[in-house]
């Protein structure tokens, strides 16, 4: 980020005009989603909004009620879990630019996105908001999303810094981790987001990290963010994540936001003013925060700073609005088109025995679609990521449109989803109070009449499945499971879906299974039986269209899993080594750590996701990076050349099929003989290429040698990989197509 001397001078001049009370206004919330401004000097408040899948609906400034007008319908983009499955950085960029443009169109200055926490635990309720288990893939996608957002005179706010990897006890769990794993797995994407993506803002986390709450941590926000990374953007607290005036005041935090309407009582409001007056906090600390806030306002062109020299030679400063600031817009057709483009590549073909798919419209007269998720809209759920989508094409609607009037599309619900209580007030009002259910009690027991209904639905679907040649079961999760504030208790499919799917497969072994979920589910009961399985996360307003186009063969699937689908929670590294959901802390620890109840040590270290399954040879349902196409690709002719600074890899990829298709070539690197503490191989580059039938393309990778390194705690720095190193060109982490060993 360019920090011009001229700009800094202007910021200092405006800062000099401000009283302590006015400075305080700029650094805490004055509304739930807006910081305070200083009218006297023309400084506005920063208007923020969630979240990763679109611009959230509007709330009253001081009550957790949605305004409920029709003005806040927006485009609904694929969730980050879906977007990551595209492995397409251009699509990540356009998704970001849609988000930024719509945010601006809705009058926002900052969009609270993207969420980039590492998917360490498949049970984490917010995994759908995050990108991947792999730091390289997260970084590559996040940088583009951020740059796309910020093209629109609006700030991204990458979140939640850091180790916010579970929702259970998210306010009170302390994370402990060894330095190497922290540096190699959890920090890189945040570092890329601020250094390469140049995110103007970053959000702290609720959880504690090594004894300090993320949103006021000196280790994270001062030492790493400010000192190591030289970050001059704005560090925002998560909503209600602060616990102490001195910590919030002296750490690298700039803006305290909250969920209570007593804005004057926020730590950085009156308590901060008092602390400065009493000499407990140096006003220079407050000035640092204000500078960062004003800098962000200049960067997103909320204001310009005018300087005027007085007769006495003194320079006075005030803020004025920038007349030609990008006004943005929302719900444009082009946005829906971009949402569709991303959605298409987010559909992952997990399995396709004996070419079960596609189901060609010309050869199909009747299709039976089974499952609640076929007919469910997901956009308005999940917690702060909820949005009011202008429209959402369900899979059922998508299929009906795709196949047209000559094909009968019959629908059967198949499984029973209990009705939810509709709350008038948003859940966020009470979100700080840890009232959420523990991972144990998520799915409510059905009452007798509901059980009867569930059986009727299943029987109806099974009876129909006997009559139809083409049966598509569409199930998975919904935002009662993939949601903020709660983790799942296990990876099992809810609502009796295992029973339903197996009963349908009993009578129709060719039935296609589609799983819609924001995090892995246990498919073992039918995984080997079903001939075709498709995977799709919450895939935006055009998700149903994209799914139907893949099923009909209109387009070839090209999504790849951005996270491993393990067999079950018990077989994950978190279960094998960790102490999830956290060990109750003792009295001495309680004294040391404010507002803390649990400690969780990330004992699996760097062995997160595929790094673990590969190292410990633990079988999974589907590996990281996996995703089939309707065509086959041939990889050949791999070359590896080392230069002083980098390793150059080339290889050829051929489309051996009869349709145009895309393939993501993944480049993994590891020691030829992996040493004890290291993963076998790690993703270091990838490239998605489009190939016409019979076409061959050369794929090139340049891997900087400095990215081939491990963090050595004893040495206090990165140690480059040397000796015999293997380069793997692969179609997934478990499907290596070419390998070359070189000495580095
Ligand atoms: C979430 C954030 C969100 C904020 C504002 C918090 O509960 O953790 O991700 O941006 O609320 O809604």
């Amino acid at each position: 980020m360019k920090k011009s001397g001229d700009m800094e001078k202007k910021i200092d001049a405006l800062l000099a005009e401000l009283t302590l009370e006015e400075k305080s206004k700029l650094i805490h919330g004055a509304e739930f989603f807006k910081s305070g401004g200083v009218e006297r000097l023309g400084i506005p408040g920063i208007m923020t909004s969630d979240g990763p899948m679109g611009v959230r609906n509007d709330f009253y400034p001081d009550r957790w009620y949605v305004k409920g007008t029709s003005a806040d319908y927006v485009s609904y983009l694929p969730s980050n879990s879906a977007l990551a499955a595209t492995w397409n950085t251009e699509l990540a960029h356009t998704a970001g630019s849609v988000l930024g443009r719509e945010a601006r169109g809705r009058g926002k200055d900052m969009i609270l996105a993207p969420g980039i926490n590492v998917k360490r635990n498949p049970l984490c309720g917010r995994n759908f908001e995050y990108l991947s288990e792999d730091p390289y893939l997260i970084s590559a996608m996040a940088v583009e999303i951020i740059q796309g957002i910020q093209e629109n005179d609006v700030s991204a706010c990458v979140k939640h810094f850091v180790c916010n990897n579970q929702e259970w006890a998210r306010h009170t769990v302390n994370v402990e981790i060894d330095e190497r794993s922290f540096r190699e797995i959890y920090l890189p994407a945040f570092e890329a987001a601020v250094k390469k993506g140049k995110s103007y803002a970053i959000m702290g986390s609720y959880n504690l990290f090594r004894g300090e709450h993320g949103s006021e941590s000196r280790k994270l926000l001062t030492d790493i963010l400010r000192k190591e990374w030289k970050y001059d953007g704005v560090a925002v607290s998560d909503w209600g994540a602060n616990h102490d005036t001195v910590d919030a005041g002296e750490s690298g935090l700039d803006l305290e936001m909250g969920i209570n309407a007593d804005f004057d009582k926020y730590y950085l409001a009156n308590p901060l003013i008092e602390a400065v007056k009493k000499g407990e906090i140096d006003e220079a600390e407050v000035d640092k925060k204000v500078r960062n806030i004003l800098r962000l306002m200049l960067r997103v062109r909320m204001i310009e700073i005018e300087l005027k020299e007085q007769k006495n030679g003194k320079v006075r400063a005030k803020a004025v609005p920038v007349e030609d600031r990008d006004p943005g817009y929302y719900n444009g057709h082009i946005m829906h088109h971009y949402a569709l483009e991303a959605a298409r590549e987010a559909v992952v073909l997990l399995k396709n025995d004996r070419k079960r798919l596609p189901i060609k419209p010309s050869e199909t007269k009747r299709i039976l679609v089974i499952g609640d998720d076929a007919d469910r809209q997901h956009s308005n759920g999940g917690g702060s990521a909820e949005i009011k989508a202008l429209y959402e094409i369900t899979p059922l609607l998508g299929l009906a449109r795709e196949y047209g009037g000559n094909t009968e599309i019959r629908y059967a619900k198949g499984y029973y989803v209990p009705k939810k209580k509709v709350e008038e007030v948003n859940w966020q009002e009470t979100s700080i109070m840890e009232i959420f259910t523990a991972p144990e009690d998520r799915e409510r027991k059905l009452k007798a009449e509901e059980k009867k209904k569930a059986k009727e639905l299943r029987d109806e679907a099974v009876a129909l499945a006997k009559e139809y040649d083409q049966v598509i079961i569409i199930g998975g999760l919904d935002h009662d499971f993939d949601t903020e504030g709660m983790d799942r208790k296990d990876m099992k499919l809810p609502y009796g879906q295992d029973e339903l799917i197996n009963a349908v497969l009993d009578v129709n072994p060719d039935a296609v299974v589609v799983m819609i979920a924001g995090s892995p589910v246990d498919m073992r009961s039918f995984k080997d039986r079903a001939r075709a399985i498709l995977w799709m996360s919450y895939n935006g307003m055009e998700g149903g269209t994209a799914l139907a186009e893949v099923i009909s063969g209109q387009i070839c699937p090209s999504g790849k899993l951005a996270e491993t689908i393990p067999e079950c929670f018990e077989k994950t590294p978190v279960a094998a080594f960790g102490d999830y959901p956290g060990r109750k802390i003792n009295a001495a620890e309680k004294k040391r750590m404010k507002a803390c109840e649990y400690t969780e040590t990330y004992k699996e270290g760097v062995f997160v996701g595929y790094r673990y399954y590969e190292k410990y040879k633990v079988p999974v349902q589907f590996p990281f990076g996996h995703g089939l196409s309707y065509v086959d690709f041939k990889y050949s002719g791999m070359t590896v050349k080392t230069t002083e600074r980098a390793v150059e890899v080339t290889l050829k990829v051929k489309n051996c099929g009869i349709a145009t298709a895309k393939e993501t070539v993944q480049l993994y690197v590891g020691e030829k003989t992996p040493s004890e503490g290291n993963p076998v191989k790690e993703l270091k580059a990838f490239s998605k290429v489009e190939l016409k039938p019979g076409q061959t393309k050369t794929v090139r990778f340049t891997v900087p040698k400095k990215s081939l390194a491990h963090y050595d705690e004893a040495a206090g720095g990165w140690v480059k990989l040397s000796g015999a190193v293997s380069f793997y060109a692969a179609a997934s982490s478990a499907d290596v197509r070419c390998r070359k060993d070189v000495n580095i």
Side-chain angles (χ1 to χ4, degrees):
M1 263 175 279
K2 266 261 217 39
K3 204 162 108 174
S4 79
D6 190 37
M7 175 161 102
E8 294 305 309
K9 263 192 215 137
K10 285 184 170 174
I11 291 172
D12 279 339
L14 190 54
L15 178 67
E17 301 282 345
L18 292 163
T19 64
L20 175 62
E21 284 71 15
E22 287 171 336
K23 289 175 192 170
S24 152
K25 281 201 172 17
L26 297 177
I27 60 174
H28 72 268
E31 298 179 8
F32 288 148
F33 286 100
K34 192 176 182 184
S35 61
V38 178
E39 220 179 303
R40 178 178 77 82
L41 294 165
I43 309 175
I46 298 172
M47 194 73 215
T48 72
S49 173
D50 286 300
M53 304 192 288
V55 189
R56 194 179 181 188
N57 36 10
D58 285 327
F59 286 82
Y60 287 101
D62 52 1
R63 278 178 300 150
W64 283 108
Y65 285 90
V66 289
K67 286 191 178 161
T69 74
S70 55
D72 54 8
Y73 282 101
V74 288
S75 302
Y76 164 36
L77 292 157
S79 60
N80 278 348
S81 50
L83 195 56
T86 68
W87 291 64
N88 187 331
T89 50
E90 276 171 39
L91 292 176
H93 193 101
T94 40
S97 79
V98 169
L99 196 55
R101 194 154 310 173
E102 296 222 340
R104 199 67 275 291
R106 290 265 310 277
K108 315 295 178 192
D109 306 305
M110 180 187 290
I111 182 92
L112 307 172
I116 66 163
N117 291 100
V118 173
K119 299 195 192 193
R120 165 182 184 253
N121 180 347
L123 302 186
C124 173
R126 283 183 99 169
N127 275 348
F128 75 99
E129 284 189 67
Y130 304 144
L131 289 156
S132 173
E133 67 188 26
D134 180 82
Y136 180 83
L137 181 55
I138 303 175
S139 306
M141 299 297 277
V143 163
E144 296 296 332
I145 298 172
I146 291 164
Q147 290 178 350
I149 290 174
Q150 294 189 163
E151 281 164 6
N152 301 284
D153 287 350
V154 75
S155 172
C157 182
V158 62
K159 63 193 189 183
H160 310 86
F161 188 53
V162 62
C163 292
N164 189 170
N165 303 109
Q166 68 188 59
E167 287 301 288
W168 162 241
R170 63 178 176 163
H171 294 280
T172 53
V173 66
N174 171 49
V175 171
E176 295 292 336
I177 184 171
D178 67 279
E179 190 65 14
R180 173 184 173 189
S181 313
F182 181 49
R183 298 268 162 187
E184 287 185 21
I185 305 290
Y186 297 94
L187 278 187
F190 282 100
E191 185 170 3
V194 302
K195 287 193 182 163
K196 214 167 153 205
K198 302 199 187 316
S199 188
Y200 299 148
I202 184 169
M203 188 189 294
S205 62
Y206 280 130
N207 57 281
L208 298 92
F209 176 78
R210 294 183 183 155
E212 296 177 330
H213 281 272
S215 290
E216 55 193 33
S217 156
R218 287 173 170 81
K219 290 184 199 95
L220 296 174
L221 301 181
T222 313
D223 297 348
I224 295 181
L225 192 63
R226 304 295 180 189
K227 293 191 183 151
E228 265 188 52
W229 296 349
K230 311 270 179 283
Y231 186 60
D232 66 2
V234 168
V236 186
S237 74
D238 200 343
W239 268 230
N242 287 118
H243 299 267
D244 186 273
T245 297
V246 175
D247 289 343
E250 288 185 345
S251 66
L253 177 76
D254 300 311
L255 178 57
E256 179 195 359
M257 297 301 287
I259 59 160
N260 295 323
D262 51 359
F263 303 108
D264 287 344
K265 291 192 186 142
Y266 281 21
Y267 294 98
L268 294 185
N270 291 345
L272 173 89
I273 297 172
E274 278 162 38
V276 172
K277 287 186 176 156
K278 278 197 221 144
E280 288 165 7
I281 298 176
D282 191 341
E283 192 167 341
E285 296 295 336
V286 184
D287 290 352
K288 283 187 207 162
K289 300 180 195 301
V290 175
R291 268 193 209 100
N292 292 339
I293 298 270
L294 294 176
R295 195 175 298 115
L296 181 137
M297 289 183 182
L298 290 171
R299 282 176 172 154
V300 301
R301 305 178 75 234
M302 288 169 72
I303 56 164
E304 184 44 76
I305 298 175
E306 261 182 20
L307 303 180
K308 253 204 194 122
E309 203 175 323
Q310 310 282 100
K311 283 204 187 101
N312 59 9
K314 208 172 165 238
V315 176
R316 302 300 305 263
K318 70 168 190 197
V320 290
V322 178
E323 293 306 333
D324 65 345
R325 184 179 185 200
D326 194 334
Y329 65 97
Y330 56 120
N331 294 321
H333 293 307
I334 189 73
M335 282 120 168
H336 309 155
H337 169 74
Y338 285 143
L340 175 59
E341 279 198 330
R344 282 181 177 136
E345 296 195 20
V347 181
V348 184
L349 179 61
L350 293 178
K351 187 178 172 187
N352 198 21
D353 277 0
R354 287 172 286 127
K355 299 208 185 307
R356 171 67 185 90
L357 285 171
I359 301 171
K360 291 259 186 268
S362 55
E363 296 158 12
T364 314
K365 287 281 157 276
R366 299 168 78 219
I367 300 179
L368 172 66
V369 180
I370 300 173
D372 179 84
D373 262 340
D375 196 29
R376 179 175 288 270
Q377 296 186 332
H378 294 281
S379 43
N380 200 7
S384 58
E386 68 194 355
I387 56 162
K388 254 163 78 177
L390 181 66
Y391 66 83
E392 177 178 348
I393 308 282
T394 61
L396 186 61
L397 175 55
L399 287 163
R401 285 202 325 181
E402 178 71 13
Y403 283 86
N406 292 342
T407 304
E408 178 209 353
I409 303 282
R410 176 81 184 257
Y411 176 61
K413 212 173 187 55
Y415 58 88
Y416 178 77
V417 177
K419 287 255 169 328
K420 313 285 146 25
K421 230 173 73 197
V422 182
E423 306 280 355
E424 256 194 46
V425 180
N426 194 270
W427 60 273
Q428 208 146 9
E429 178 160 38
T430 43
S431 62
I432 209 91
M433 288 156 51
E434 293 289 358
I435 50 144
F436 293 122
T437 13
E440 291 78 55
D441 24 70
R442 295 298 308 282
E443 205 183 344
R444 104 164 147 71
K445 292 239 172 343
L446 298 188
K447 296 185 193 120
E449 70 269 23
E450 290 177 311
K451 275 193 190 149
K452 200 169 144 236
K453 177 84 189 148
K455 186 171 177 313
E456 277 167 19
L457 291 176
R458 188 169 58 240
D459 290 350
E460 181 204 12
V462 174
L464 284 169
K466 286 185 202 155
E467 294 170 23
Y468 282 75
D469 291 339
Q470 301 293 358
V471 176
I472 306 169
I473 311 167
I474 304 182
L477 300 175
D478 54 41
H479 282 310
D480 271 7
F481 291 83
D482 285 312
T483 183
E484 181 171 346
M486 294 182 217
D487 290 341
R488 284 180 300 157
K489 97 175 193 273
D490 52 38
M491 277 175 44
K492 292 208 180 81
L493 280 170
Y495 315 129
Q497 291 180 72
D498 279 305
E499 216 177 324
L500 167 77
I501 295 170
N502 279 296
V504 171
L505 287 169
D506 283 345
V507 299
N508 192 326
D510 290 338
V512 170
V513 180
V514 178
M515 287 281 107
I516 296 180
S519 40
V521 293
D522 184 348
M523 295 175 270
R524 284 175 300 171
S525 76
F526 56 85
K527 177 180 153 272
D528 294 334
R529 302 183 67 191
R531 278 177 60 193
I533 306 177
L534 280 161
W535 179 266
M536 185 170 96
S537 199
Y538 304 109
N539 208 3
M541 62 205 305
E542 291 286 354
T545 314
L547 180 68
E549 287 179 351
V550 167
I551 291 176
S552 74
Q554 174 77 16
I555 56 159
C556 274
S558 71
K560 300 238 183 196
L561 293 176
E563 63 197 292
T564 309
I565 304 190
E567 290 199 337
C568 56
F569 175 66
E570 291 66 34
K571 300 231 173 124
T572 64
V574 174
F577 296 110
D579 35 24
Y580 172 79
R583 160 182 75 73
K584 261 272 183 217
I585 56 169
N586 59 36
E589 289 171 313
K590 263 208 161 154
K591 252 195 181 155
R592 186 165 56 79
M593 299 189 280
K594 208 169 295 161
C596 181
E597 298 290 338
Y598 306 91
T599 268
E600 185 169 340
T601 305
Y602 289 8
K603 293 180 190 148
E604 74 282 5
V606 295
F607 296 104
V608 173
Y610 67 88
R611 288 166 169 79
Y612 167 78
Y613 302 108
E614 187 163 32
K615 181 82 176 181
Y616 292 90
K617 301 193 171 52
V618 177
V620 299
Q621 294 185 83
F622 296 99
F624 174 80
H626 172 73
L628 306 171
S629 172
Y630 292 149
V631 304
D632 292 323
F633 298 100
K634 190 171 163 239
Y635 291 41
S636 65
M638 182 177 183
T639 68
V640 180
K641 216 174 69 200
T642 56
T643 64
E644 200 192 320
R645 296 242 172 104
V647 181
E648 314 274 354
V649 179
T650 66
L651 71 138
K652 290 198 171 71
V653 186
K654 181 178 179 188
N655 176 351
C656 307
I658 52 163
T660 297
K662 289 185 179 180
E663 169 70 332
T664 299
V665 181
Q666 301 155 44
L667 186 76
Y668 296 86
V669 183
E671 293 160 313
K672 188 175 172 204
T673 318
S675 30
E676 184 52 30
N678 289 344
V680 176
K681 62 183 192 303
E682 297 177 280
L683 183 72
K684 293 294 172 190
F686 62 88
S687 173
K688 191 161 191 175
V689 282
E690 185 172 55
L691 297 161
K692 297 202 179 74
Q695 192 183 7
T696 301
K697 275 189 186 167
T698 301
V699 177
R700 290 173 208 283
F701 299 108
T702 301
V703 185
K705 276 189 182 162
K706 74 168 196 270
S707 75
L708 304 178
H710 287 293
Y711 190 85
D712 186 330
E713 204 168 337
W718 294 88
V719 176
K720 284 195 196 142
L721 218 55
S722 59
V725 175
S726 302
F727 287 76
Y728 307 86
S732 86
S733 59
D735 184 6
V736 172
R737 301 293 181 87
C738 300
R739 170 182 173 164
K740 276 258 167 306
D741 301 334
V742 290
N743 269 311
I744 297 189

